[in-house]
Amino acid sequence: TLGGPPERPRKPSFLLVEPPEDDDKSAKTDDAKTNDQLTEILMLLPPGEEQNITLFTNVARIFGLTRLPGVLFVSKNNLIIVDNYYFDKEDVLQVVTEMAQESKVECYYYVRPVDANDDPDRDELTGPVLETVKIRDEAKARMRQGVYPEARHRCIVFPYESIVEIRKRRYQLQRVAIEVFLTDGTSSLLAFDSKPQRDEVFNKLHHLGIHSNPNDLRVGLSLKQIKAQQQAGTLIAMAFKGAKSMTQQWQEGEVSNFTYLMYLNTLAGRSYNDLTQYPVFPWVLSNYESKTLDLKDAKNYRDLSKPMGAIGEKRKRKFMDRYTNWEDPSGIIPKFHYGTHYASAATTLYYLLRLEPFTRIGLQLQGGKFDHADRLFYSIQHSWHSSSADGGLSDVKELIPEFYYLPEFLQNSNRFDLGTTQWEQLVHDVELPPWAKGDARRFVRIMRAALESELVSANLHNWIDLIFGYKQQGKAAEEAQNVFYYLTYEDRIDIDSITDEVDKMSIIAQINNFGQTPHQIFKKPHPQRKLAQVPMTLSTHANILVPSGTSRYPHSVRNIAWLEEDRLMVACRNSCWVPPKYKYAVQWGHENHSLWFTTDCEVWQTPSERIISVQEGLMDSQICLCAVTDDGKLLLTAGESGEILVWKLPPKAPKESEGLILAGELQGHDSAVTAIGTSLDYQYVVSGGADGQVIIWDLKRFLIQRRLPRHPGPILCLAVNASSGDIVTCSRDWIYWWSVNGDLCAVKKAADSRPDGITCVTFASGPDSQIDPNIITGHRNGRIQFWKLVLPPDGKNILEPEFTGFQYETKVHRSLGIHSSSYSFVSVPDADPNTGYSDSKLLMSPSHSREELKENPKVRPTPRKDAPYMMLVASEKRKLHAAAVTSILCPSHSWTRMWSADASGEVRAWKLTSDEHWVNDSTVSNCPRCRKAFNVLERRHHCRYCGGVFCNSCSMRKTPVPQFGHLDPVRVCNDCFTVLQAKRT
């Protein structure tokens, strides 16, 4: 497409072309143009990089359905891509013109709000009514959309230290691509013009130390999980160290079903960057009609041993007849059951219609209009029946990962006009099953719980065999009725060998539009998951937490960190260590507003011999709080004025002569900042102020992402979940649990009096934070409380009696992407005590008023985001300290250990005891002391000292058990009570 690129990458030869000596003016003009273009591309590279280039070649960045051509440079320190250039067959640099690009469209589309200034319902919860506008100028469309066009020749730099791994990939069923995975959780898909080009670049990067291990556990995991797995290395090294493969971890319950499926999708070449190879997930439920759903009933689940086309018996016979009777006169097309695929670009756009940028991609493919409402994704129940039984021979769709973690894709938050079906049903939000109670958040939580259920875990290996395993191709696929059209399989056709351009483009179009089968990973049956083994975690076994060590420090402890080499790092007040090596620390709060870099932060006012440098004049006001990102590259300093500055940190502690480089400013708080949390996986910073204001910031652009509702008091503490992105904020005596997109998940009053107030909060580690989310709070009286987030039973009131709602501080949008400086306060109306939802301010369809929505029973209103839909339940309460708890640490790479610190300087280590200490209830039918039988009236009681199970009469006494962390009296058996009293005496 770009003028016949050469067969292999070129070695660098950046020599300007000398003009010829003859009088050919046209030749002189061409050479001068070439020189200008070569000089221009060299100027786009980082300073000095033109001397370090060892390889360059043509490349294309793939995102969605777009292919953006450019030139890739491999240097000694960076991987660099410059867009919209290419080298022709003579190694002459050319500029990609608009006509040379592959995607040629006559018109562009942008979305604008209708009567934005006159819309009274505009706030952060209800978006603007939008309309699609057709325009022929892409630049004007982007400008009017509020997105300023980037430089035409954008230069993208990937430092090698930011690359986790590279993987060989397919593009259009050809082995010509690689995917680059970065430490911030993102990735880039790069397509080359031929396989030799791809292989040479891949080998060059491998030689520079960037490895690709097909069994590496890091890809697809969060940054903290990456750190936990970095010691494993290659598969051979894992075997020598006794480390487990991902499949073994999944078998033993150490990895959730969702994480394992994402890992297999990544391993099989599926990527979020390519809509034609989007990750695929299974339908797991089959009941989308009933009002209640029992996840323990096998009748509610789909048969995972069958493909979607073989679930309905009537349709199954039709597919089998097609396969049996198929004959191609040309002999080119072999037999197949299904002419359409379970995963394609059309399937992805079908599900993600309401979510940008997929809305705009779909509009472009549909000529600027939405498809007919009856063909849109408007009902879960309808889509299930269409894919499983009623869709004829053209619908065998599976699901995408968003069904198990992203409720926003089911909501028409942008209020697009999606039309009306032939039954006069307005298409707005996706119609949910009755058991979801009209709440997309509840639907996604239940879907995730179903995916992680024992019934799915016991049969998921059958679905893996169909999609990624031995039943994907060959005789086993025929027997499983799992054969698709031949152009969906890799290596079935050599596109480069086709000489006819029309035929070649036709085949590429079929590949892009009708789906691609994932790369076959397993050649043998996949092992089944072992359901009997459930790993112990702090979330599930907090009642058997016992102390394992105590340390004392001279000052109140602010935070703690535990390194993998069993080294505990403690920071006193107004100080923090700099990860990931923890070689130096930062101290603040000094009278001259200075910032100290020291080698020790266990003692306040570090002695001069331990001070590395003192940085002065960083902020106008006193620095009241600092935080460092997990990679140790950014330092955030917050002042009493509410300003937050972001500084770049060097690999080593900065010297006084060097100073710090300012990376960005976060302006938004009106009072002193009291709490800061960061997430590298989601690239955001969350900050809370003394006035109750909480702001989520974009860590890349240093802009406000969203404001949470103003809390009733100062933000005492907050925590960020690294894997799910959820946020927990604590204000006064209340706990608020928010999703990464600002939805209020749960609210709970945690303390009834000031001596019992909250002082710190953290997330408990476990295999899946989505299905088993837990937090731990520390309190002023030394108590530590374990909390579990659960879906409420049907009909239960989930609102706290004292919860009165929020006041929202929102900006009025005058056009999409451009904000005005005016603010408005929106009071939350009283919620329905039965449902917890307020229906007086609902999202509306652009073509219907609020009155019309109430009159139309077929329109399903969307619950407000300020209404909690889950419950925080106290699972365990322990008094573990004599002073106020100041910090709690639950390391992500250990689910059985915990550290807690208090204001007196005491740090205590805790661990979960083995199963032998805590007797399982189900194994004991009689009291071991008096032999009384257990029944409905005679309950079982655990002794907190020996772990045995006793009747009420044999375990009535209470006493402190400090050996196991119980400073308050707890229930023990009579024998242990006598022993403990004797020891105390």
Side-chain angles (χ1 to χ4, degrees), residues 103-280:
S103 65
K104 306 181 185 66
V105 291
E106 296 181 357
C107 299
Y108 298 88
Y109 305 91
Y110 75 98
V111 182
R112 72 180 180 191
V114 179
D115 298 329
N117 296 332
D118 301 327
D119 189 354
D121 297 317
R122 295 296 308 283
D123 57 26
E124 290 184 351
L125 304 178
T126 56
V129 179
L130 303 178
E131 65 176 354
T132 306
V133 181
K134 187 174 182 180
I135 193 170
R136 294 187 176 275
D137 190 333
E138 182 186 19
K140 290 183 179 179
R142 290 170 61 85
M143 288 289 289
R144 295 183 184 182
Q145 185 65 56
V147 180
Y148 292 94
E150 299 169 346
R152 172 174 172 77
H153 300 295
R154 182 184 177 191
C155 181
I156 304 169
V157 181
F158 299 126
Y160 292 147
E161 61 268 17
S162 69
I163 300 178
V164 174
E165 188 175 33
I166 54 173
R167 292 276 179 98
K168 291 183 178 181
R169 287 288 184 252
R170 300 178 306 173
Y171 178 63
Q172 296 176 343
L173 288 182
Q174 302 173 81
R175 302 174 187 270
V176 295
I178 62 173
E179 191 164 13
V180 181
F181 295 89
L182 306 175
T183 54
D184 62 0
T186 61
S187 64
S188 293
L189 184 63
L190 309 177
F192 298 86
D193 296 306
S194 66
K195 186 175 181 295
Q197 280 183 268
R198 189 274 308 267
D199 291 342
E200 185 158 353
V201 172
F202 183 88
N203 295 334
K204 183 66 177 179
L205 293 174
H206 190 276
H207 178 72
L208 290 171
I210 303 174
H211 301 293
S212 174
N213 174 23
N215 298 286
D216 199 321
L217 311 187
R218 298 176 292 174
V219 175
L221 304 181
S222 68
L223 186 63
K224 288 191 175 181
Q225 289 172 309
I226 290 172
K227 294 178 181 178
Q229 300 293 349
Q230 278 178 341
Q231 302 300 323
T234 63
L235 185 62
I236 298 177
M238 290 166 59
F240 277 111
K241 296 179 181 181
K244 303 173 185 175
S245 68
M246 192 65 149
T247 300
Q248 290 174 325
Q249 291 187 40
W250 173 76
Q251 281 184 271
E252 298 178 8
E254 298 176 11
V255 171
S256 67
N257 291 339
F258 180 89
T259 301
Y260 187 58
L261 288 177
M262 283 302 304
Y263 174 78
L264 293 181
N265 272 282
T266 304
L267 209 61
R270 313 300 285 189
S271 172
Y272 281 106
N273 294 308
D274 188 359
L275 284 182
T276 65
Q277 299 186 86
Y278 209 76
V280 55

Side-chain angles (χ1 to χ4, degrees), residues 342-357:
Y342 52 78
S344 64
T347 300
T348 304
L349 293 174
Y350 170 80
Y351 286 132
L352 299 179
L353 171 72
R354 295 163 176 82
L355 202 64
E356 288 288 11

